[in-house]
């Protein structure tokens, strides 16, 4: 437990973290300004209504349900691929992460096209289905089945490093494997469960693509409706302010849950013995097989199916290059930014440090349009030359997705003992040298994983891209958008498939390999 | 508890620290404008809420003809309008091409639109030009009932919006509650008849068990396949569908009652800068050439008298369009949307 002591954090680190937090809070400042412009009448008229209560209920409801479904899938899935003798473990491990490559609007459209009242399943069985593809159940499927990998990846990383001694001790005291899992393994998973759970909850709160297609009202759809109908930004800002406050509550809960968690500096010399599944092999394979079928194979087949009937325009290689370039830039900047923020909060452990780290979540739960409009205001007034440039677009991605990198960096740092850094310091290295030669190499897998997550999320980002991109700048996501807004989904098939292919390589190289390892 | 309180204080004070600098800048809407491109630089920036596939070929024609390059940004109409409102006078845009009049009304209301030149507005029928010539329609889309002539005769179709609640249609008709044109139609109804009448209409629709579709195109497909007898759509969807399959059993019916039931929505333009190139683009959009393009490519109504719509469209001057100010429609639209939401029409 000596890991929990504080270490000194340089003024430079603190200053950078503060500057980053100030940048990330631009949308909050924008919201407060817009909300403050509204008189108290507007507050009463637009917020003190049953609709707000209903939206709070529906937003919290879907977030909790998506989290629950994600836990139900990811905990057994992660355990099976990292701690058992499941056949084809590596293959299943990769399949478990692939749903991350699907944009949520594609996930939702797949849900609707298969489970819709006149969808593929209804056609196959020859009668209409009840409307499970829409509303709450549709949103749960489209978001839960496709965002569980955030949690799964963190769980796999943790499970692989767990000290087997505790489990063996419990077994030797006569506990059954099930009891060992619940009473010994699960408590050690609190850190990844809360960190991954936070990402899933906030991601769900900010999502527009899926909920709009399955017609489930949340704060995000209400904010879009306000922009769409009203062109009066005040109401949208008021609603978004409530969403930001809700985020604060979620962050607070997560912070409470994280307190007192032992971030095991578990560098065990030996690997845990794989649990032998024996006759349980069949249900285990059925479980991972059906998860992979539903979350990877079915959407792939349905996308391929769209491309069959529909010409669709050929994709331009420039679009692919644009997507890759801005997403990679966002990933690099996010990883760089995550360092001072995570260093301060993990090593410094002060209230201010934690508050700064929490503040970097500001953009994560807000809908993309709010972040984009905040940057429209900021850039046209403060940084005119940057307006409608790729640099500003990257800035928007950083505001939206920095927490994905911070979470990964934070969890990598918290399992790295500060003793290594102290030793290097005592041997005369400068702080910067220690960071460059000791800390970064040791947490490299975490940094790569965080960068990979940002990259993947940025590849599929649409709302901020549409508003902030340079004139004439097409990405795969904007191409999917422009195809789907004229015709049916057939024209979107090719760019969607390209988006997946372009995402799979970095998903493999940056996220899956560092987390799962070469010979898992 | 003390630590928790401290955390909250820290977060709040940090947010507050960030505020002052940006507050001043974000509210200084009165700063001098620098947006307008230098006059006659042979290029103009267009914010288009209409799709690239439709607009890009037209812009090419314009560039070929005039030598003026068009920097076109494509996006959703509403989001472009929101962006324009945030940019204010600093917008790089010279022209805003909007999918609907409500967004034009909002941009006008914010004081961003400049009066259109007389020679542009005089080409367009007066009822499709905004107050003070701040915007003008360039193409029209009529709200119609699309029906399957094999399943139902025109005289059996609803004669007005109120008529959609007639019990004999129960479960046999379609609507796209999330479609912007349907929502505008409801907003016009709202503006003309008041909120209570709108609620009554919505309730009678919901009670009559419509089938809900994500978009107009899906309604036309469902009518063609016989899944429903008729649905509320824009007039050109049936034409689109028949482009490839002439024998498709779908026809348009124009409800005779007038007012919101025979609404003609317009896609239109607003002028945002003094750049003569921008004005040139507007002139082109109301030229016979561009108007013919809209008529032939999208089956929309041209809005100039010198170009005729494609055959078999009910002539525009026979449609009893409601006499209404679109700025008023954009004012009631948010309330309309929340009433549509509350009615349950958009939910299943």
């Amino acid at each position: 437990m000596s890991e929990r002591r504080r270490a000194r954090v340089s003024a430079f680190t603190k200053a950078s973290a503060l500057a980053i937090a100030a940048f990330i809070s631009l949308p909050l400042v924008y919201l407060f300004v817009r909300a403050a412009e509204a008189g108290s009448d507007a507050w009463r008229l637009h917020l003190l209504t049953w609709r707000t209560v209903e939206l709070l209920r529906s937003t919290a409801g879907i977030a909790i349900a998506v989290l629950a479904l994600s836990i139900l899938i990811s905990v057994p899935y992660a355990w099976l691929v990292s701690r058992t003798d499941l056949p084809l473990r590596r293959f299943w491990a990769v399949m478990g992460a692939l749903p991350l490559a699907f944009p949520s609007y594609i996930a939702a459209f797949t849900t609707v096209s298969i489970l819709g009242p006149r969808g593929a399943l209804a056609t196959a069985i020859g009668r209409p289905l009840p409307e499970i593809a829409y509303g709450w159940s549709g949103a749960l499927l489209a978001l839960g089945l496709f965002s569980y990998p955030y949690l799964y990846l963190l769980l796999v990383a943790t499970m692989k490093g767990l000290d087997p001694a505790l489990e063996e001790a419990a077994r030797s005291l006569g506990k059954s494997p099930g009891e060992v899992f619940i009473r010994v393994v699960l408590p050690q998973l609190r850190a990844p469960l809360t960190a991954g759970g936070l990402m899933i909850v906030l991601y769900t709160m900010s999502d527009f693509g899926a909920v709009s297609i399955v017609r489930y009202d949340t704060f995000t759809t209400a904010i879009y409706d306000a922009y769409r109908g009203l062109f009066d930004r005040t109401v949208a800002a008021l609603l978004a302010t409530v969403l930001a406050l809700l985020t604060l509550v979620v962050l607070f809960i997560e912070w409470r849950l994280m307190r007192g968690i032992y971030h095991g500096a578990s560098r065990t010399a030996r690997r845990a013995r794989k649990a032998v599944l024996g006759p349980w092999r069949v249900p285990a394979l059925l479980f991972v097989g059906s998860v992979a079928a539903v979350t990877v194979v079915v959407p792939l087949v349905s996308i391929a199916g769209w491309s069959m009937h529909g010409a669709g325009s050929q994709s331009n290689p420039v679009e692919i290059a644009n997507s890759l370039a801005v997403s990679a830039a966002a990933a690099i900047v996010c990883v760089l930014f995550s360092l001072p923020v995570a260093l301060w909060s993990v090593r410094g452990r002060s209230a201010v440090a934690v508050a700064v780290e929490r503040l970097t979540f500001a953009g994560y739960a807000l809908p993309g349009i709010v972040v984009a409009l905040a940057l429209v205001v900021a850039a046209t007034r403060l940084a005119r030359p940057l307006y409608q440039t790729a640099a500003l677009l990257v800035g928007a991605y950083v505001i939206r997705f920095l927490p994905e990198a911070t979470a990964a960096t934070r969890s990598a740092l918290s399992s790295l003992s500060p003793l290594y850094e102290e030793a290097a310091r005592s041997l005369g290295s400068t702080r910067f040298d220690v960071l460059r030669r000791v800390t970064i190499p040791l947490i490299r897998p975490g940094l790569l994983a965080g960068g990979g997550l940002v990259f993947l999320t940025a590849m599929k980002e649409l709302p901020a891209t549409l508003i902030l991109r340079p004139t004439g700048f097409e990405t795969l996501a904007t191409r999917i958008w422009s195809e789907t807004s004229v015709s049916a989904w057939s024209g979107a098939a090719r760019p969607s498939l390209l988006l997946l292919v372009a995402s799979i390589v970095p998903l493999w190289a940056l996220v899956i390999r560092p987390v799962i390892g070469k010979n898992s | 508890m003390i630590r928790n309180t401290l955390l909250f204080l820290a977060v709040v004070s940090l947010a507050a620290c960030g505020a002052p600098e940006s507050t001043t800048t974000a509210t200084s809407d009165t700063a001098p404008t620098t947006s307008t491109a230098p006059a006659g630089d042979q290029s103009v920036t267009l914010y288009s809420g209409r799709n690239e596939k439709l607009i890009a070929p037209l812009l090419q024609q314009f560039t070929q003809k005039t030598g003026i390059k068009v920097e076109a940004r494509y996006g959703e109409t509403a989001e472009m309008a929101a962006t324009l409102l945030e940019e204010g006078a600093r917008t790089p845009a010279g022209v805003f091409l909007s999918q609907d009049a409500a967004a034009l009304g909002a941009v006008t209301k914010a004081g961003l639109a400049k009066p259109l030149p007389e020679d542009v507005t005089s080409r367009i029928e007066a009822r499709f030009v905004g107050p003070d010539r701040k915007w003008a329609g360039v193409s029209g889309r009529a709200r119609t009932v699309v029906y399957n002539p094999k399943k139902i005769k025109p005289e059996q179709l609803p004669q007005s919006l109120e008529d959609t609640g007639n019990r004999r249609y129960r479960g046999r008709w379609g609507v796209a509650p999330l479609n912007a044109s349907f929502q505008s139609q409801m907003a016009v109804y709202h503006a003309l008849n008041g909120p209570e009448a709108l609620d009554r209409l919505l309730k009678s629709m919901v009670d009559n068990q419509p089938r809900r579709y994500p978009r107009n195109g899906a309604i036309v497909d469902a009518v063609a396949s016989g899944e429903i007898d008729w649905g509320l759509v824009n007039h050109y969807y049936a034409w689109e569908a028949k482009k490839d399959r002439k024998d498709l059993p779908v026809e348009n019916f124009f409800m005779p009652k007038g007012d919101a039931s025979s609404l003609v929505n317009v896609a239109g333009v607003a002028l945002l800068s003094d750049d003569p190139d921008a004005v040139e683009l507007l002139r082109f959009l109301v030229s016979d050439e561009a108007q013919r393009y809209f008529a032939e490519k999208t089956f929309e109504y041209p809005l100039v008298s010198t170009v005729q719509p494609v055959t078999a469209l009910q002539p525009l001057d026979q449609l009893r369009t409601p006499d209404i100010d679109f700025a008023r429609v954009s004012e009631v639209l948010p309330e309309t949307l929340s009433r549509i939401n509350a009615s349950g029409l958009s939910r299943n």
Side-chain angles (χ1 to χ4, degrees):
Chain A
M1 295 277 171
S2 63
E3 312 289 339
R4 291 182 58 77
R5 71 174 156 193
R6 295 178 183 199
R8 286 190 55 202
V9 177
S10 74
F12 178 72
T13 304
K14 291 180 183 173
S16 329
L18 280 173
I20 291 162
F23 172 63
I24 302 294
S25 21
L26 271 178
L28 283 187
V29 176
Y30 162 80
L31 281 182
F32 291 150
V33 171
R34 285 278 174 257
E37 284 170 3
S40 57
D41 277 354
W43 282 85
R44 250 202 317 282
L45 190 67
H46 297 293
L47 288 186
L48 290 180
T49 62
W50 274 114
R51 177 153 161 79
T52 310
V53 178
E54 216 174 87
L55 288 174
L56 276 173
R57 200 178 47 83
S58 66
T59 305
I62 194 66
I64 291 168
V66 167
L67 177 61
L69 181 61
S70 302
I71 291 175
L72 284 179
I73 296 174
S74 57
V75 171
Y77 201 116
W79 185 72
L80 284 170
V81 299
S82 60
R83 300 293 296 274
T84 72
D85 64 346
L86 184 78
L88 298 173
R89 246 185 353 266
R90 271 185 81 195
F91 170 74
W92 298 118
V94 173
M95 292 298 265
L98 280 186
L100 265 190
F102 293 103
S104 74
Y105 46 88
I106 298 219
F109 190 75
T110 306
T111 310
V112 171
S113 67
I114 290 176
L115 295 177
R118 296 180 303 134
L121 190 60
T123 315
I125 62 172
R127 60 198 170 90
L129 290 176
E131 307 236 348
I132 44 170
Y134 291 103
W136 187 82
S137 50
L140 174 60
L141 289 173
L143 287 166
L145 289 176
F146 293 87
S147 57
Y148 82 84
Y150 285 120
L151 195 48
Y152 159 80
L153 286 166
L154 294 184
L155 284 171
V156 172
T158 312
M159 282 181 179
K160 281 177 62 72
L162 288 186
D163 188 345
L166 289 172
E167 291 157 62
E168 284 160 11
R171 283 307 299 272
S172 73
L173 292 170
K175 298 289 177 196
S176 72
E179 264 180 299
V180 172
F181 185 78
I182 292 171
R183 310 224 358 223
V184 179
V185 178
L186 218 46
Q188 297 182 75
L189 299 179
R190 257 174 75 193
L193 280 175
T194 41
L198 177 68
M199 273 199 269
I200 287 175
V201 166
L202 297 185
Y203 179 85
T204 304
M205 281 163 59
S206 76
D207 177 75
F208 176 70
V211 288
S212 63
I213 288 175
V214 302
R215 296 178 232 164
Y216 181 77
D217 273 352
T218 63
F219 265 104
T220 300
T221 57
I223 290 165
Y224 270 84
D225 278 353
Y227 279 120
R228 232 170 84 191
L230 203 41
F231 308 110
D232 169 6
R233 301 147 286 174
T234 322
V235 174
L238 289 175
L239 288 167
T241 308
V242 179
L243 186 61
L245 292 176
L246 191 60
T247 309
L248 206 62
V249 173
V250 174
L251 286 171
F252 181 72
I253 294 172
E254 194 250 6
W255 178 70
R256 286 302 300 258
L257 289 172
M258 286 294 265
R259 278 201 318 172
I261 288 183
Y262 167 56
H263 295 291
S266 50
R267 12 210 89 257
T268 50
R270 65 201 174 90
R271 286 253 169 108
R273 205 161 45 87
K274 304 269 186 221
V276 178
L277 287 171
W280 289 99
R281 213 175 251 219
V282 177
L285 278 174
L286 267 178
F287 170 72
V288 291
S290 45
V291 170
V294 170
T295 61
V296 181
V297 179
V298 168
L300 272 179
V301 168
S302 76
I303 294 173
W306 308 338
S307 60
M308 297 295 160
H309 34 228
S313 56
Q314 60 276 49
S315 276
N316 182 338
V318 175
E319 287 156 16
I320 305 171
N322 284 344
S323 280
L324 292 173
V326 284
S327 307
I332 292 167
V333 176
C334 280
V335 169
L336 287 177
F337 279 15
S338 75
L339 276 169
V341 173
L343 267 175
W344 192 10
S345 96
V346 173
R347 294 286 185 251
R349 309 186 66 83
S350 67
V352 182
V354 175
V356 166
E357 190 230 297
R358 307 274 91 172
L359 198 57
T360 62
F361 279 78
Y364 197 54
L366 289 175
I369 188 172
V370 173
V371 173
L373 291 177
L375 285 181
V376 169
V377 171
T380 49
R381 272 112 184 130
L382 299 172
R384 181 73 208 198
L386 282 181
Y387 190 51
Q388 295 177 351
T389 62
L392 192 68
L393 183 57
V394 170
Y397 292 162
V398 171
I399 291 179
R400 289 205 70 192
F401 307 131
L402 177 60
E404 295 182 349
T406 313
T409 308
R410 188 180 66 183
S411 81
L413 263 181
S414 51
S415 58
L416 173 69
S417 166
L419 290 173
Y420 296 99
E421 292 154 1
E422 281 163 24
R425 283 284 285 164
S426 73
L427 293 170
S429 288
T430 63
R431 282 217 165 84
F432 181 71
D433 249 10
V434 174
L435 184 65
R436 190 171 61 86
R437 295 177 52 197
V438 179
T439 314
I440 289 178
L442 284 172
I443 60 170
R444 203 167 148 264
L447 296 179
L448 285 176
L453 287 178
V454 173
F455 179 86
L456 289 169
T457 325
M459 286 285 283
K460 49 190 184 179
E461 207 283 344
L462 182 62
T465 312
L466 273 183
I467 292 177
L468 293 173
R469 62 183 165 154
T471 299
F473 187 87
E474 291 286 344
T475 68
L476 290 170
T478 63
R479 174 60 64 193
I480 295 172
W481 164 81
S482 71
E483 292 289 343
T484 52
S485 56
V486 266
S487 59
W489 283 77
S490 53
R494 202 166 317 175
S496 303
L497 284 175
L498 276 171
L499 180 64
L500 288 180
V501 172
S503 300
I504 282 172
V505 175
L507 182 67
W508 167 253
L510 298 178
V511 185
I512 297 177
R513 248 185 48 176
V515 170
I516 291 167
K518 285 179 193 166
N519 328 292
S520 79
Chain B
M1 257 341 268
I2 293 175
R3 274 186 63 183
N4 304 351
T5 322
L6 278 178
L7 173 76
F8 263 121
L9 284 178
V11 171
V12 170
S13 56
L14 260 175
C17 290
E21 52 165 331
S22 320
T23 312
T24 47
T25 46
T27 47
S28 60
D29 280 300
T30 48
T33 102
T34 49
S35 67
T36 322
D41 62 351
Q42 298 289 294
S43 108
V44 55
T45 299
L46 170 75
Y47 278 16
S48 170
R50 304 202 69 181
N51 194 274
E52 181 173 4
K53 277 200 175 156
L54 170 68
I55 296 302
L58 193 59
L59 297 179
Q60 264 171 21
Q61 290 178 24
F62 170 70
T63 304
Q64 268 171 17
K65 219 172 117 177
T66 61
I68 299 170
K69 210 168 150 266
V70 183
E71 302 276 352
R73 288 178 73 78
Y74 297 93
E76 300 282 350
T77 289
E79 283 148 42
M80 296 222 120
T83 306
L84 279 169
L85 297 188
E86 294 295 12
E87 290 171 342
R90 296 164 183 81
T91 185
V95 173
F96 176 37
L97 173 58
S98 161
Q99 187 87 264
D100 56 62
L104 293 169
V107 170
T108 303
K109 202 177 142 211
L112 299 173
K114 305 190 183 293
L116 304 174
E118 192 85 58
D119 61 332
V120 171
T121 51
S122 62
R123 302 232 339 127
I124 303 289
E125 225 186 290
R127 59 178 161 157
F128 301 117
V129 175
D132 302 327
R133 304 203 319 263
K134 291 290 183 69
W135 58 264
V138 294
S139 61
R141 30 304 263 292
R143 291 296 292 171
T144 64
V145 170
V146 63
Y147 69 100
N148 186 329
K150 291 184 180 160
K151 313 242 345 175
I152 194 165
K153 292 191 186 66
E155 56 271 24
Q156 297 168 326
L157 287 167
Q159 306 295 304
S160 66
L161 281 171
E162 292 85 355
D163 216 8
T164 59
N166 192 315
R167 293 192 66 134
R168 65 185 152 147
Y169 304 130
R170 181 157 294 187
R172 307 231 24 97
W173 64 290
V175 64
L178 298 182
N179 173 268
S181 300
F182 172 76
Q183 291 171 346
S184 302
Q185 190 172 28
M186 291 300 108
V188 169
Y189 191 89
H190 183 177
L192 290 172
N193 305 303
E196 291 82 19
L198 174 70
D199 283 347
R200 275 197 301 278
L201 174 65
L202 290 168
K203 182 167 188 315
S204 80
M205 285 181 163
V206 173
D207 289 347
N208 217 16
Q209 297 167 11
R211 285 180 167 257
R212 281 93 161 170
Y213 296 91
R215 50 184 80 207
N216 281 322
I219 295 183
V220 174
D221 290 346
V223 167
S225 74
E227 183 180 306
I228 48 175
D229 297 339
W230 58 268
L232 295 174
V233 293
N234 286 347
H235 77 269
Y236 47 87
Y237 286 95
W239 286 95
E240 282 276 353
K242 287 169 87 139
K243 198 160 59 177
D244 300 326
R245 290 190 50 200
K246 294 236 176 322
D247 53 342
L248 211 64
V250 288
E251 296 294 341
N252 277 320
F253 172 73
F254 291 80
M255 290 187 277
K257 177 168 181 232
D259 69 50
S261 70
S262 39
L263 173 68
V264 174
N265 242 315
V266 293
V269 287
L271 178 64
L272 305 167
S273 82
D274 301 318
D275 183 356
D277 294 334
V279 176
E280 211 46 53
L281 178 58
L282 294 181
R283 288 200 181 101
F284 175 73
L285 288 173
V286 299
S287 69
D288 284 2
E289 186 183 354
Q291 290 288 309
R292 215 174 292 123
Y293 179 87
F294 285 123
E296 285 162 10
K297 288 283 172 198
T298 62
F299 307 103
E300 285 172 291
Y301 281 103
L303 296 183
V304 305
S305 55
T306 43
V307 178
Q308 292 311 306
V310 288
T311 48
L313 260 187
Q314 180 140 340
L316 200 52
D317 48 24
Q318 286 176 24
L319 291 179
R320 294 172 49 208
T321 57
D323 180 23
I324 186 157
D325 170 9
F326 279 100
R328 169 97 184 98
V329 176
S330 75
E331 270 166 35
V332 300
L333 190 59
E335 197 191 322
T336 313
L337 291 184
S338 69
R339 283 175 190 275
I340 294 176
N341 273 333
S343 74
L345 187 65
S346 50
R347 253 166 274 156
N348 290 298

